[in-house]
Amino acid sequence: MKFFVDTADIAEIKDLAATGMVDGVTTNPSLAAKSGKKFLDLIAEICAVVTGPVSAEVTALDHATMMKEANVLKKIAPHVTIKVPLTPDGLKTCKALSDDGTMVNVTLCFSPAQALLAAKAGATFISPFVGRLDDIGSDGMGLISDICTIYKNYGYKTEVLVASIRHPMHVVSAAKLGAHVSTMPPATLRQLFNHPLTDKGLKAFLDDWAKTGQSIL
Ligand code: G3P
């Protein structure tokens, strides 16, 4: 499974990229606004740190303006992935960009039917939001299961990019279902490293080692 970080915080991206766990980055207009940086500069900065796909979202609602925005974003770096909303105009833009060889991430997916449309439009990634579904008492991971089944049934190449992840078990459940990518906040990626028995075991090993009075160096 590929891990993307869902953030526009450069310091966090750099720090986590150094662990070798960051295969890409996703941003959205809310995360970009929170960064306080100029959007194009922000995306360029992220692209300089990460070699995998970096999602940058268009903000227009109509196809013609989405295409103009995508053409600006594409010029930043070859690994910029154009993020479009799951609307008729978004999917029209997805089709045009995909036909042209540009990576596209279709976002704000909340149903299997929407995911099927995105695959038919040639999306590189579909972003189903599991946390926001769970938040309203719906079954986020059930959606991932349905999409994985549908894509497998027809051999669609679109990768399932699980988004709106809230905790490590979302990542584990998505991996068990065979989803291709999890994009998660930096804090969740850090949580994946943790287990109390790892901490306890390490402490015991080092306590015993200290008793020997030796040093490897
Ligand atoms: O970037 C899309 C998605 O991951 C947003 O997550 O936590 O705002 O629901 P969240």
Side-chain angles (χ1 to χ4, degrees):
M1 172 176 258
K2 284 178 263 190
F3 286 169
F4 291 0
V5 278
D6 195 33
T7 184
D9 185 325
I10 296 286
E12 285 277 35
I13 294 169
K14 278 187 183 162
D15 193 50
L16 287 166
T19 68
M21 294 297 149
V22 177
D23 300 301
V25 174
T26 50
T27 65
N28 61 41
S30 303
L31 293 170
K34 197 173 151 197
S35 79
K37 296 187 176 176
K38 284 194 173 175
F39 186 48
L40 301 189
D41 295 345
L42 171 72
I43 297 300
E45 224 180 315
I46 297 173
C47 285
V49 177
V50 174
T51 54
V54 174
S55 288
E57 189 162 340
V58 297
T59 55
L61 292 175
D62 67 284
H63 169 63
T65 318
M66 281 184 189
M67 287 301 293
K68 283 183 193 159
E69 290 181 349
N71 285 329
V72 171
L73 296 170
K74 272 168 60 176
K75 288 197 184 97
I76 296 173
H79 51 304
V80 167
T81 302
I82 305 301
K83 205 171 177 186
V84 298
L86 210 153
T87 61
D89 282 65
L91 291 190
K92 199 171 165 187
T93 305
C94 173
K95 174 90 177 94
L97 292 170
S98 301
D99 284 352
D100 202 29
T102 300
M103 289 191 289
V104 182
N105 177 357
V106 176
T107 190
L108 291 165
C109 170
F110 294 95
S111 78
Q114 289 180 316
L116 186 51
L117 295 177
K120 286 177 71 67
T124 316
F125 302 104
I126 180 69
S127 289
F129 281 26
V130 292
R132 292 192 195 184
L133 280 171
D134 290 353
D135 289 347
I136 60 160
S138 195
D139 181 10
M141 218 37 74
L143 173 60
I144 302 305
S145 175
D146 285 347
I147 298 172
C148 287
T149 301
I150 290 167
Y151 283 8
K152 205 171 164 192
N153 285 348
Y154 294 95
Y156 285 122
K157 297 275 178 278
T158 302
E159 297 195 8
V160 180
L161 191 168
V162 183
S164 187
I165 280 177
R166 301 272 192 261
H167 50 71
M169 282 314 292
H170 271 151
V171 180
V172 173
S173 300
K176 284 164 83 174
L177 291 169
H180 306 81
V181 190
S182 278
T183 190
M184 63 199 98
T188 307
L189 181 43
R190 290 184 202 289
Q191 278 182 297
L192 296 182
F193 287 88
N194 299 337
H195 197 285
L197 290 180
T198 304
D199 299 338
K200 190 178 171 193
L202 184 58
K203 182 177 181 318
F205 285 157
L206 294 184
D207 285 350
D208 289 341
W209 177 247
K211 288 176 205 155
T212 71
Q214 298 180 61
S215 162
I216 294 174
L217 297 178

